[in-house]
Amino acid sequence: MTSLCASAEFRWGPTAGVNFSTFHWKQDIAKTTMRTGFDVGLAGELMIPGIGFGVDMGIHYNLHGAHVAFGEHKVWSIDGIENQNVWLHTLEIPLNLKFKWTRLNGLERIIAPLIYVGPVFNFTLATNDAPAIETPAGYVAIQLGGGAELFERFQISGGYSWGVSYQLRTIKLDNYSAQPRGGFIRLAYFF
């Protein structure tokens, strides 16, 4: 076991991507429509050579949100709150288990398929002016994805993220909260 850990390879590099997000509300009161955002940051991986297993981690700035139809309900429209885009700026720290196919008779030097799964720890940095909601300091999500490594440097991947804890809640209604959900596509370059 010690020799496996000693021979593990760590790589890191810049990453950028696009996300498609919405909010899943506890009750179906406010209609929510998906919006497109982005993320940028650093990605890292610690892989055990020969068996293809490892850990994938990173730190990203993430902008995501959704359009919420608050204005269609009297509870909010009476206060002058209209339908609005709710944007959240977060610091995202994913920690995934990763498997990369590394025994493909040399083909892995050109393309190596990969899959990953794990938790994402998010910390709320800021929100846009959305008077109907409040946000906690952070939340936890689970992500699942796959992709490919190209020419042993570029990784392109896509996946889906499910909020486990709530990311926002309304101020006026008790216990009316939402979890983030959505897909993403990312490109990373590893040194």
Side-chain angles (χ1 to χ4, degrees), residues 60-62 64 88-92 122-125 139 167:
H60 309 145
Y61 162 77
N62 187 309
H64 65 278
L88 294 125
H89 305 266
T90 61
L91 182 66
E92 182 178 88
N122 295 275
F123 302 94
T124 304
L125 303 174
Y139 69 96
Q167 184 180 23

Side-chain angles (χ1 to χ4, degrees), residues 50-107:
I51 63 171
F53 282 101
V55 177
D56 176 85
M57 71 285 289
I59 185 165
H60 309 145
Y61 162 77
N62 187 309
L63 173 68
H64 65 278
H67 183 79
V68 184
F70 288 124
E72 296 177 9
H73 302 280
K74 193 170 184 178
V75 67
W76 294 294
S77 64
I78 198 166
D79 293 333
I81 297 172
E82 300 176 350
N83 297 350
Q84 60 188 237
N85 289 321
V86 176
W87 291 105
L88 294 125
H89 305 266
T90 61
L91 182 66
E92 182 178 88
I93 301 173
L95 185 61
N96 299 304
L97 294 176
K98 181 188 251 183
F99 179 75
K100 186 174 15 174
W101 279 268
T102 56
R103 293 185 178 192
L104 298 172
N105 294 324
L107 184 61

Side-chain angles (χ1 to χ4, degrees), residues 96-97 115-120 142-146 158-162 182-184:
N96 299 304
L97 294 176
I115 56 172
Y116 56 90
V117 63
V120 183
I142 298 293
Q143 70 179 2
L144 171 68
Y160 196 83
S161 177
W162 295 267
F184 57 87

